[in-house]
Structure formats: C-alpha cells, structure tokens
Coordinates of all heavy atoms in Angstrom, one line a residue:
M1 N -46.1 69.4 -2.8 CA -45.0 69.2 -1.9 C -43.8 68.6 -2.7 O -43.9 67.7 -3.6 CB -45.4 68.1 -0.9 CG -44.3 67.9 0.2 SD -44.8 66.6 1.4 CE -43.3 65.7 1.5
A2 N -42.6 69.2 -2.6 CA -41.5 68.8 -3.3 C -41.0 67.4 -2.9 O -41.1 67.1 -1.7 CB -40.3 69.8 -3.1
E3 N -40.6 66.6 -3.9 CA -40.2 65.3 -3.5 C -38.8 65.3 -3.0 O -37.9 65.9 -3.6 CB -40.3 64.4 -4.8 CG -40.3 62.9 -4.4 CD -40.8 62.1 -5.5 OE1 -40.0 61.8 -6.4 OE2 -42.0 61.7 -5.5
G4 N -38.6 64.6 -1.9 CA -37.3 64.6 -1.3 C -37.3 64.0 0.0 O -38.3 63.7 0.6
Y5 N -36.1 63.8 0.6 CA -36.0 63.2 1.9 C -36.0 64.3 3.0 O -35.6 65.4 2.7 CB -34.7 62.4 2.0 CG -34.7 61.1 1.1 CD1 -34.5 61.2 -0.2 CD2 -35.0 59.9 1.7 CE1 -34.6 60.1 -1.0 CE2 -35.0 58.8 0.9 CZ -34.8 58.9 -0.4 OH -34.9 57.7 -1.2
S6 N -36.4 63.9 4.2 CA -36.3 64.8 5.3 C -35.8 64.2 6.5 O -35.7 63.0 6.6 CB -37.7 65.4 5.5 OG -38.6 64.4 5.8
V7 N -35.4 65.0 7.5 CA -34.8 64.5 8.7 C -35.9 64.5 9.8 O -36.6 65.5 9.9 CB -33.6 65.4 9.1 CG1 -33.1 64.9 10.5 CG2 -32.5 65.3 8.1
L8 N -35.9 63.4 10.6 CA -36.9 63.3 11.7 C -36.1 63.1 13.0 O -35.2 62.2 13.0 CB -37.8 62.2 11.4 CG -38.9 61.9 12.5 CD1 -40.0 63.0 12.5 CD2 -39.5 60.5 12.4
H9 N -36.4 63.9 14.0 CA -35.7 63.7 15.3 C -36.6 62.7 16.1 O -37.7 62.9 16.4 CB -35.6 65.0 16.0 CG -34.8 64.9 17.2 ND1 -34.8 65.8 18.3 CD2 -33.8 64.0 17.6 CE1 -33.9 65.4 19.2 NE2 -33.3 64.4 18.8
T10 N -36.0 61.5 16.3 CA -36.7 60.5 17.1 C -36.0 60.3 18.4 O -34.9 60.9 18.7 CB -36.6 59.1 16.4 OG1 -35.3 58.6 16.5 CG2 -37.0 59.3 14.9
S11 N -36.5 59.5 19.3 CA -35.9 59.2 20.6 C -34.6 58.6 20.4 O -33.7 58.7 21.3 CB -36.9 58.4 21.4 OG -37.2 57.2 20.8
G12 N -34.4 57.8 19.3 CA -33.1 57.1 19.2 C -32.1 57.9 18.4 O -31.0 57.4 18.1
G13 N -32.4 59.1 18.0 CA -31.5 59.9 17.2 C -32.2 60.5 16.0 O -33.4 60.5 15.9
Y14 N -31.4 60.9 15.0 CA -32.1 61.5 13.8 C -32.2 60.4 12.8 O -31.3 59.6 12.5 CB -31.2 62.6 13.2 CG -31.1 63.8 14.1 CD1 -30.2 63.9 15.1 CD2 -32.1 64.8 14.1 CE1 -30.1 65.0 16.0 CE2 -32.1 65.9 14.9 CZ -31.1 66.0 15.9 OH -31.1 67.1 16.7
A15 N -33.4 60.4 12.2 CA -33.7 59.4 11.2 C -34.0 60.1 9.8 O -34.4 61.2 9.8 CB -34.9 58.5 11.6
I16 N -33.9 59.3 8.7 CA -34.2 59.8 7.4 C -35.6 59.4 7.0 O -35.9 58.2 7.2 CB -33.2 59.3 6.4 CG1 -31.8 59.5 6.8 CG2 -33.5 59.9 5.0 CD1 -31.3 61.0 6.6
V17 N -36.4 60.3 6.6 CA -37.8 60.0 6.1 C -37.8 60.0 4.6 O -37.4 61.0 4.0 CB -38.8 60.9 6.7 CG1 -40.2 60.5 6.3 CG2 -38.7 61.0 8.2
D18 N -38.2 59.0 3.9 CA -38.2 59.0 2.5 C -39.4 59.8 1.9 O -40.3 60.2 2.7 CB -38.1 57.5 1.9 CG -39.4 56.8 2.0 OD1 -40.5 57.4 2.2 OD2 -39.3 55.5 1.8
P19 N -39.4 60.0 0.6 CA -40.5 60.9 0.1 C -41.9 60.3 0.2 O -42.9 61.0 0.1 CB -40.1 60.9 -1.4 CG -38.7 60.7 -1.5 CD -38.4 59.7 -0.4
D20 N -42.0 59.0 0.5 CA -43.3 58.4 0.8 C -43.7 58.5 2.3 O -44.7 58.0 2.7 CB -43.2 56.9 0.4 CG -43.2 56.7 -1.1 OD1 -43.6 57.7 -1.8 OD2 -42.7 55.7 -1.6
G21 N -42.8 59.1 3.1 CA -43.1 59.3 4.5 C -42.7 58.1 5.4 O -43.1 58.1 6.5
R22 N -41.9 57.2 4.8 CA -41.5 56.1 5.6 C -40.2 56.5 6.3 O -39.2 57.0 5.7 CB -41.2 54.9 4.7 CG -42.5 54.4 4.1 CD -42.3 53.0 3.5 NE -43.5 52.6 2.8 CZ -43.8 52.8 1.5 NH1 -42.9 53.3 0.8 NH2 -44.9 52.4 1.0
V23 N -40.1 56.1 7.6 CA -38.9 56.5 8.4 C -37.9 55.3 8.3 O -38.2 54.2 8.5 CB -39.3 56.6 9.9 CG1 -38.1 57.0 10.7 CG2 -40.4 57.7 10.0
G24 N -36.7 55.7 7.9 CA -35.6 54.8 7.7 C -35.2 54.2 9.1 O -35.5 54.7 10.1
K25 N -34.5 53.0 9.0 CA -34.1 52.3 10.2 C -32.8 52.9 10.8 O -32.6 52.8 12.0 CB -33.9 50.8 9.9 CG -35.2 50.1 9.8 CD -34.9 48.6 9.6 CE -36.2 47.9 9.4 NZ -36.1 46.7 8.6
A26 N -32.0 53.5 9.9 CA -30.7 54.1 10.4 C -31.0 55.3 11.3 O -31.9 56.1 11.1 CB -29.9 54.5 9.2
R27 N -30.2 55.4 12.4 CA -30.3 56.6 13.3 C -28.9 57.3 13.3 O -27.9 56.7 13.4 CB -30.6 56.1 14.7 CG -32.0 55.5 14.8 CD -33.1 56.6 14.6 NE -34.4 56.0 14.7 CZ -35.1 55.5 13.7 NH1 -34.6 55.5 12.5 NH2 -36.3 55.0 13.8
Y28 N -29.0 58.6 13.2 CA -27.8 59.4 13.2 C -27.7 60.1 14.5 O -28.7 60.6 15.1 CB -27.8 60.4 12.0 CG -27.9 59.7 10.7 CD1 -29.1 59.2 10.2 CD2 -26.7 59.5 10.0 CE1 -29.1 58.5 9.0 CE2 -26.7 58.9 8.7 CZ -27.9 58.4 8.3 OH -28.0 57.7 7.1
G29 N -26.5 60.3 15.0 CA -26.3 60.9 16.3 C -26.4 62.4 16.3 O -26.6 63.0 17.3
N30 N -26.3 63.0 15.1 CA -26.4 64.4 15.0 C -27.1 64.8 13.7 O -27.2 64.1 12.7 CB -25.0 65.1 15.0 CG -24.2 64.7 13.9 OD1 -24.3 65.2 12.7 ND2 -23.2 63.8 14.1
R31 N -27.8 66.0 13.8 CA -28.6 66.4 12.7 C -27.8 66.7 11.4 O -28.3 66.4 10.3 CB -29.3 67.7 13.1 CG -30.2 68.3 12.0 CD -31.0 69.5 12.5 NE -32.2 69.1 13.2 CZ -33.4 68.9 12.5 NH1 -33.4 69.0 11.2 NH2 -34.5 68.5 13.1
A32 N -26.6 67.2 11.6 CA -25.8 67.5 10.4 C -25.5 66.3 9.6 O -25.6 66.3 8.3 CB -24.5 68.2 10.8
G33 N -25.2 65.2 10.3 CA -24.9 63.9 9.5 C -26.2 63.4 8.8 O -26.1 63.0 7.7
A34 N -27.3 63.5 9.5 CA -28.6 63.1 8.9 C -28.9 64.0 7.7 O -29.4 63.5 6.6 CB -29.7 63.1 9.9
E35 N -28.7 65.3 7.8 CA -29.0 66.2 6.7 C -28.1 66.0 5.5 O -28.6 66.1 4.4 CB -28.9 67.7 7.2 CG -30.2 68.0 8.1 CD -30.1 69.5 8.6 OE1 -29.1 70.1 8.5 OE2 -31.2 69.9 9.1
T36 N -26.9 65.7 5.8 CA -26.0 65.4 4.7 C -26.4 64.2 3.9 O -26.5 64.2 2.7 CB -24.5 65.2 5.2 OG1 -24.1 66.3 5.9 CG2 -23.6 64.9 4.0
R37 N -26.8 63.2 4.6 CA -27.3 61.9 4.0 C -28.6 62.2 3.2 O -28.8 61.7 2.1 CB -27.6 60.9 5.1 CG -28.1 59.6 4.6 CD -27.1 58.7 4.0 NE -27.7 57.5 3.5 CZ -27.5 56.9 2.3 NH1 -26.7 57.5 1.5 NH2 -28.0 55.8 2.0
C38 N -29.4 63.0 3.8 CA -30.7 63.4 3.2 C -30.5 64.1 1.9 O -31.1 63.8 0.9 CB -31.3 64.5 4.2 SG -33.0 64.1 4.5
E39 N -29.5 65.0 1.9 CA -29.2 65.8 0.6 C -28.7 64.8 -0.4 O -29.1 64.9 -1.6 CB -28.2 66.9 0.9 CG -28.8 68.1 1.6 CD -27.7 69.0 2.2 OE1 -26.6 68.9 1.8 OE2 -28.1 69.8 3.1
N40 N -27.8 63.9 0.0 CA -27.3 62.9 -1.0 C -28.4 62.1 -1.6 O -28.4 61.8 -2.8 CB -26.3 62.0 -0.3 CG -25.0 62.8 0.0 OD1 -24.7 63.8 -0.5 ND2 -24.2 62.2 0.9
L41 N -29.3 61.6 -0.7 CA -30.4 60.8 -1.2 C -31.3 61.6 -2.1 O -31.8 61.1 -3.1 CB -31.2 60.3 0.0 CG -30.5 59.2 0.8 CD1 -31.2 59.0 2.1 CD2 -30.5 57.9 0.1
T42 N -31.6 62.8 -1.7 CA -32.5 63.6 -2.6 C -31.8 63.9 -3.9 O -32.5 63.9 -5.0 CB -32.8 65.0 -1.9 OG1 -33.4 64.7 -0.6 CG2 -33.7 65.8 -2.7
Q43 N -30.5 64.1 -3.9 CA -29.8 64.3 -5.2 C -29.9 63.1 -6.0 O -30.1 63.1 -7.2 CB -28.3 64.7 -4.9 CG -27.6 65.3 -6.1 CD -28.3 66.5 -6.7 OE1 -28.6 67.4 -6.0 NE2 -28.6 66.4 -8.0
A44 N -29.7 61.9 -5.4 CA -29.7 60.6 -6.1 C -31.1 60.5 -6.8 O -31.2 60.0 -7.9 CB -29.4 59.5 -5.2
L45 N -32.1 60.9 -6.1 CA -33.5 60.8 -6.6 C -33.6 61.7 -7.8 O -34.2 61.3 -8.8 CB -34.4 61.3 -5.5 CG -35.9 61.1 -5.7 CD1 -36.3 59.7 -5.6 CD2 -36.7 61.9 -4.6
K46 N -33.1 62.9 -7.7 CA -33.2 63.9 -8.8 C -32.4 63.4 -10.0 O -32.8 63.6 -11.2 CB -32.7 65.2 -8.4 CG -33.6 66.0 -7.5 CD -33.1 67.3 -7.1 CE -34.0 68.0 -6.1 NZ -33.3 69.0 -5.3
D47 N -31.3 62.7 -9.8 CA -30.5 62.2 -10.8 C -31.1 60.9 -11.5 O -30.6 60.4 -12.5 CB -29.1 61.8 -10.3 CG -28.3 63.0 -9.9 OD1 -28.7 64.1 -10.2 OD2 -27.2 62.8 -9.2
G48 N -32.1 60.5 -10.9 CA -32.8 59.3 -11.5 C -32.2 58.0 -11.1 O -32.4 56.9 -11.7
K49 N -31.3 58.0 -10.0 CA -30.7 56.7 -9.6 C -31.7 55.9 -8.8 O -31.5 54.7 -8.8 CB -29.5 57.0 -8.7 CG -28.3 57.5 -9.5 CD -27.2 57.9 -8.6 CE -26.0 58.6 -9.4 NZ -25.1 59.4 -8.5
K50 N -32.7 56.5 -8.2 CA -33.7 55.8 -7.6 C -35.0 55.8 -8.4 O -35.3 56.9 -8.9 CB -34.0 56.3 -6.2 CG -32.9 56.0 -5.2 CD -33.2 56.7 -3.9 CE -32.3 56.1 -2.8 NZ -32.9 55.0 -2.1
K51 N -35.6 54.7 -8.5 CA -36.8 54.7 -9.3 C -38.0 54.2 -8.5 O -37.8 53.4 -7.6 CB -36.6 53.8 -10.5 CG -35.7 54.3 -11.5 CD -35.9 53.6 -12.9 CE -35.2 54.3 -14.0 NZ -33.9 53.9 -14.2
R52 N -39.2 54.6 -8.9 CA -40.4 54.1 -8.3 C -40.7 52.8 -9.0 O -40.8 52.8 -10.3 CB -41.5 55.0 -8.4 CG -41.4 56.2 -7.4 CD -42.6 57.0 -7.4 NE -42.4 58.1 -6.5 CZ -42.6 58.0 -5.2 NH1 -43.0 56.9 -4.7 NH2 -42.4 59.0 -4.4
R53 N -40.9 51.7 -8.3 CA -41.2 50.4 -8.9 C -42.4 49.9 -8.0 O -42.5 50.1 -6.9 CB -40.1 49.4 -8.8 CG -38.8 49.8 -9.5 CD -37.7 48.9 -9.0 NE -36.4 49.4 -9.4 CZ -35.8 49.1 -10.5 NH1 -36.4 48.2 -11.3 NH2 -34.6 49.6 -10.8
P54 N -43.2 49.1 -8.7 CA -44.3 48.4 -7.9 C -43.7 47.3 -7.1 O -42.8 46.5 -7.5 CB -45.2 47.9 -8.9 CG -44.4 47.8 -10.2 CD -43.3 48.8 -10.1
C55 N -44.1 47.1 -5.8 CA -43.7 46.0 -5.0 C -44.1 44.7 -5.7 O -45.2 44.6 -6.2 CB -44.4 46.1 -3.6 SG -44.3 44.6 -2.6
I56 N -43.2 43.7 -5.7 CA -43.5 42.4 -6.4 C -44.6 41.6 -5.7 O -45.2 40.7 -6.2 CB -42.2 41.5 -6.6 CG1 -41.6 41.3 -5.2 CG2 -41.3 42.2 -7.6 CD1 -40.5 40.2 -5.3
T57 N -44.8 42.0 -4.4 CA -45.8 41.2 -3.6 C -47.2 41.8 -3.6 O -48.1 41.1 -3.9 CB -45.3 41.0 -2.2 OG1 -44.0 40.4 -2.2 CG2 -46.2 40.2 -1.4
C58 N -47.2 43.1 -3.3 CA -48.6 43.7 -3.2 C -48.8 44.8 -4.2 O -49.9 45.3 -4.3 CB -48.8 44.3 -1.8 SG -47.7 45.7 -1.5
G59 N -47.8 45.2 -5.0 CA -48.0 46.1 -6.1 C -47.9 47.6 -5.7 O -48.1 48.5 -6.5
T60 N -47.7 47.9 -4.4 CA -47.6 49.2 -3.9 C -46.3 49.8 -4.6 O -45.3 49.2 -4.7 CB -47.3 49.2 -2.4 OG1 -48.5 48.6 -1.8 CG2 -47.2 50.6 -1.8
K61 N -46.5 51.1 -5.0 CA -45.3 51.8 -5.6 C -44.3 52.1 -4.5 O -44.7 52.7 -3.5 CB -45.8 53.0 -6.3 CG -46.5 52.8 -7.6 CD -45.5 52.6 -8.7 CE -46.2 52.1 -10.0 NZ -47.2 52.9 -10.5
I62 N -43.1 51.7 -4.7 CA -42.1 52.0 -3.7 C -40.9 52.7 -4.4 O -40.8 52.6 -5.6 CB -41.5 50.7 -3.0 CG1 -41.0 49.7 -4.1 CG2 -42.6 50.0 -2.2 CD1 -40.1 48.6 -3.5
L63 N -40.1 53.3 -3.6 CA -38.9 54.0 -4.1 C -37.8 53.0 -4.0 O -37.3 52.7 -3.0 CB -38.6 55.2 -3.2 CG -37.8 56.3 -3.8 CD1 -38.6 56.8 -5.0 CD2 -37.6 57.4 -2.8
S64 N -37.5 52.4 -5.1 CA -36.5 51.3 -5.2 C -35.1 51.8 -5.2 O -34.7 52.8 -5.8 CB -36.8 50.5 -6.4 OG -35.8 49.5 -6.6
D65 N -34.2 51.1 -4.4 CA -32.8 51.5 -4.4 C -32.1 50.8 -5.6 O -31.0 51.1 -5.9 CB -32.1 50.9 -3.1 CG -32.6 51.6 -1.9 OD1 -33.0 52.8 -2.0 OD2 -32.6 51.0 -0.8
G66 N -32.8 50.0 -6.3 CA -32.1 49.3 -7.5 C -32.9 48.0 -7.8 O -33.9 47.7 -7.1
P67 N -32.4 47.3 -8.8 CA -33.0 46.1 -9.2 C -33.2 45.0 -8.1 O -34.2 44.2 -8.2 CB -32.1 45.5 -10.3 CG -31.3 46.6 -10.7 CD -31.1 47.5 -9.5
H68 N -32.4 45.1 -7.1 CA -32.5 44.1 -6.0 C -33.6 44.4 -5.0 O -34.0 43.6 -4.2 CB -31.2 44.0 -5.2 CG -30.8 45.3 -4.6 ND1 -30.4 46.4 -5.3 CD2 -31.0 45.8 -3.3 CE1 -30.2 47.4 -4.4 NE2 -30.6 47.1 -3.2
H69 N -34.1 45.7 -5.1 CA -35.0 46.2 -4.1 C -36.4 46.2 -4.8 O -36.8 47.2 -5.5 CB -34.6 47.6 -3.7 CG -35.5 48.2 -2.6 ND1 -35.4 49.5 -2.3 CD2 -36.4 47.6 -1.8 CE1 -36.3 49.8 -1.4 NE2 -36.9 48.7 -1.0
R70 N -37.2 45.2 -4.6 CA -38.5 45.1 -5.3 C -39.7 44.8 -4.3 O -40.7 44.5 -4.8 CB -38.5 44.0 -6.3 CG -37.4 44.3 -7.4 CD -37.7 45.6 -8.2 NE -39.0 45.6 -8.8 CZ -39.2 45.1 -10.0 NH1 -38.2 44.7 -10.8 NH2 -40.5 45.1 -10.6
M71 N -39.4 44.9 -3.0 CA -40.5 44.7 -2.1 C -40.7 45.9 -1.2 O -39.7 46.5 -0.8 CB -40.2 43.5 -1.2 CG -40.8 42.2 -1.6 SD -40.7 41.1 -0.3 CE -40.9 39.6 -1.1
C72 N -41.9 46.3 -0.9 CA -42.1 47.4 0.0 C -41.8 47.0 1.4 O -41.6 45.8 1.7 CB -43.6 47.9 0.0 SG -44.8 46.7 0.7
N73 N -41.6 47.9 2.3 CA -41.1 47.6 3.7 C -42.1 46.7 4.4 O -41.6 45.7 5.0 CB -40.9 48.9 4.5 CG -39.6 49.6 4.0 OD1 -38.7 48.9 3.5 ND2 -39.5 50.9 4.2
P74 N -43.4 46.9 4.4 CA -44.3 46.0 5.1 C -44.1 44.5 4.6 O -44.1 43.6 5.3 CB -45.7 46.5 4.8 CG -45.5 47.9 4.5 CD -44.1 48.0 3.8
C75 N -44.0 44.3 3.2 CA -43.9 43.0 2.7 C -42.5 42.4 3.1 O -42.4 41.2 3.4 CB -44.0 43.0 1.2 SG -45.7 43.3 0.6
R76 N -41.5 43.2 3.1 CA -40.2 42.7 3.5 C -40.2 42.2 4.9 O -39.6 41.2 5.3 CB -39.1 43.7 3.3 CG -38.4 43.5 1.9 CD -37.1 44.3 1.9 NE -37.4 45.7 2.1 CZ -36.4 46.6 1.9 NH1 -35.2 46.2 1.6 NH2 -36.7 47.8 2.1
T77 N -40.8 43.0 5.8 CA -40.9 42.7 7.2 C -41.7 41.4 7.4 O -41.3 40.5 8.1 CB -41.6 43.9 8.0 OG1 -40.9 45.1 7.7 CG2 -41.6 43.6 9.4
R78 N -42.8 41.3 6.6 CA -43.6 40.1 6.7 C -42.8 38.9 6.3 O -42.9 37.9 7.0 CB -44.8 40.2 5.8 CG -46.1 40.7 6.6 CD -47.4 40.3 5.8 NE -47.5 41.0 4.5 CZ -47.9 42.2 4.4 NH1 -48.3 42.9 5.5 NH2 -48.0 42.8 3.3
S79 N -42.1 39.0 5.2 CA -41.4 37.8 4.8 C -40.2 37.4 5.7 O -39.9 36.3 5.9 CB -40.9 37.9 3.3 OG -39.9 39.0 3.2
D80 N -39.6 38.5 6.4 CA -38.6 38.2 7.4 C -39.2 37.5 8.6 O -38.5 36.6 9.1 CB -38.0 39.5 7.9 CG -37.0 40.1 6.8 OD1 -36.7 39.4 5.8 OD2 -36.6 41.2 7.0
D81 N -40.4 37.9 8.9 CA -41.0 37.3 10.1 C -41.7 36.0 9.9 O -41.9 35.2 10.8 CB -42.0 38.3 10.7 CG -41.4 39.5 11.3 OD1 -40.1 39.5 11.5 OD2 -42.1 40.5 11.5
A82 N -42.0 35.7 8.6 CA -42.8 34.5 8.3 C -42.1 33.2 8.7 O -40.9 33.1 8.5 CB -43.1 34.5 6.8
P83 N -42.8 32.3 9.3 CA -42.2 31.1 9.6 C -41.9 30.3 8.4 O -42.6 30.5 7.4 CB -43.2 30.4 10.5 CG -44.5 31.0 10.1 CD -44.2 32.4 9.7
Y84 N -40.9 29.4 8.4 CA -40.6 28.7 7.2 C -41.4 27.5 7.0 O -41.6 27.0 5.9 CB -39.1 28.3 7.2 CG -38.2 29.5 7.0 CD1 -37.6 30.1 8.1 CD2 -38.0 30.0 5.8 CE1 -36.8 31.2 7.9 CE2 -37.2 31.1 5.6 CZ -36.6 31.7 6.7 OH -35.9 32.8 6.5
V85 N -42.0 27.0 8.1 CA -42.9 25.9 8.0 C -44.4 26.3 8.1 O -44.8 27.0 9.0 CB -42.6 24.9 9.2 CG1 -43.5 23.7 9.1 CG2 -41.2 24.5 9.2
F86 N -45.1 26.1 7.1 CA -46.5 26.5 7.1 C -47.3 25.2 7.4 O -47.7 24.5 6.6 CB -46.9 27.0 5.7 CG -46.2 28.2 5.3 CD1 -45.0 28.2 4.5 CD2 -46.6 29.5 5.8 CE1 -44.3 29.3 4.2 CE2 -45.9 30.6 5.5 CZ -44.8 30.5 4.7
G87 N -47.6 25.0 8.7 CA -48.5 23.9 9.1 C -47.6 22.8 9.5 O -46.4 22.8 9.3
P88 N -48.2 21.8 10.1 CA -47.5 20.7 10.7 C -46.9 19.8 9.7 O -47.5 19.6 8.6 CB -48.6 19.9 11.5 CG -49.9 20.3 10.9 CD -49.7 21.7 10.3
R89 N -45.7 19.3 9.9 CA -45.1 18.4 9.0 C -45.6 17.0 9.4 O -45.7 16.6 10.6 CB -43.6 18.4 9.2 CG -43.0 19.6 8.5 CD -41.5 19.6 8.6 NE -41.0 20.8 7.8 CZ -40.5 20.7 6.6 NH1 -40.3 19.5 6.1 NH2 -40.0 21.7 6.0
R90 N -45.8 16.2 8.4 CA -46.4 14.9 8.7 C -45.4 13.8 8.4 O -45.3 13.4 7.2 CB -47.6 14.7 7.7 CG -48.8 15.5 8.1 CD -49.8 15.5 7.0 NE -50.7 16.6 7.1 CZ -51.9 16.4 7.8 NH1 -52.2 15.3 8.4 NH2 -52.7 17.4 7.9
G91 N -44.8 13.3 9.4 CA -44.0 12.1 9.4 C -43.3 11.9 8.0 O -42.8 12.8 7.4
R92 N -43.5 10.6 7.5 CA -42.8 10.3 6.3 C -43.7 10.3 5.1 O -43.3 10.0 4.0 CB -42.2 8.9 6.4 CG -41.1 8.7 7.4 CD -40.6 7.3 7.4 NE -40.1 6.9 8.7 CZ -40.8 6.1 9.5 NH1 -42.0 5.6 9.1 NH2 -40.4 5.9 10.7
A93 N -45.0 10.6 5.4 CA -46.0 10.5 4.3 C -45.6 11.4 3.1 O -45.4 12.6 3.2 CB -47.3 11.0 4.8
G94 N -45.4 10.7 2.0 CA -45.2 11.4 0.7 C -43.8 11.9 0.6 O -43.5 12.5 -0.4
V95 N -42.9 11.7 1.5 CA -41.6 12.2 1.4 C -40.7 11.2 0.6 O -40.7 10.0 0.9 CB -40.9 12.4 2.8 CG1 -39.5 12.8 2.7 CG2 -41.7 13.5 3.6
R96 N -40.0 11.7 -0.4 CA -39.1 10.9 -1.1 C -37.7 11.5 -1.0 O -37.6 12.7 -1.1 CB -39.5 10.9 -2.6 CG -40.7 10.1 -2.9 CD -41.3 10.4 -4.2 NE -42.7 10.2 -4.2 CZ -43.4 9.7 -5.2 NH1 -42.8 9.5 -6.4 NH2 -44.7 9.5 -5.2
S97 N -36.7 10.6 -0.8 CA -35.4 11.1 -0.6 C -34.4 10.5 -1.5 O -34.8 9.7 -2.4 CB -34.9 10.9 0.8 OG -35.0 9.6 1.2
Ligands
ZN1 ZN1 -45.6 45.1 -0.8

C-alpha cells in the first residue's frame, strides 16, 4: 500500500486519514477541500518534511509534524484528560513555602 493520506467521509464532514490510519480531527465541508489538503500532506511526506518518530511516552512510531510533536494521539489524549492531582492532598504535612 502506498504511503499517503486519504479522505474519509464522516457524519461531520470530510476528514483526513493519515498513513497510519488515524482519522484527523479537522472536518472539511467538501471533498475537494479535503482532497487538496490530503495532496499537500502527502507531498510534505514525500518531501521528508514529516518524519516518523517514536512517541516519547509509549514508543509507538508516529508520523511527527515536527520536533514539537513527539506524542502519539492516544498519549496526548490521555495527558490532556489526566487530572493534575494524583491522590488526595494532605493538609500542611510536609509542605514548605
Ligand atoms: Zn504514545
């Protein structure tokens, strides 16, 4: 299978599917717009602008948009959803200010 992006028609509009089969969050109102975006992304891939990198959290190979993009989608979603407080906070015990 040739590596590249494809267009998927979803209930919310047209979405871009990356070469790993992940559906992008962006929705396009028409197929032409999605296909144009798709071609640009595929071209960027061929030009080597996008690289496969291992996710910094789980090591899964992801298609990175650049040095800032180092987590796979599941890990990014998890870290977005994760609560900032892990467990109950305990009064003043051990707190120094
Ligand atoms: Zn990951």
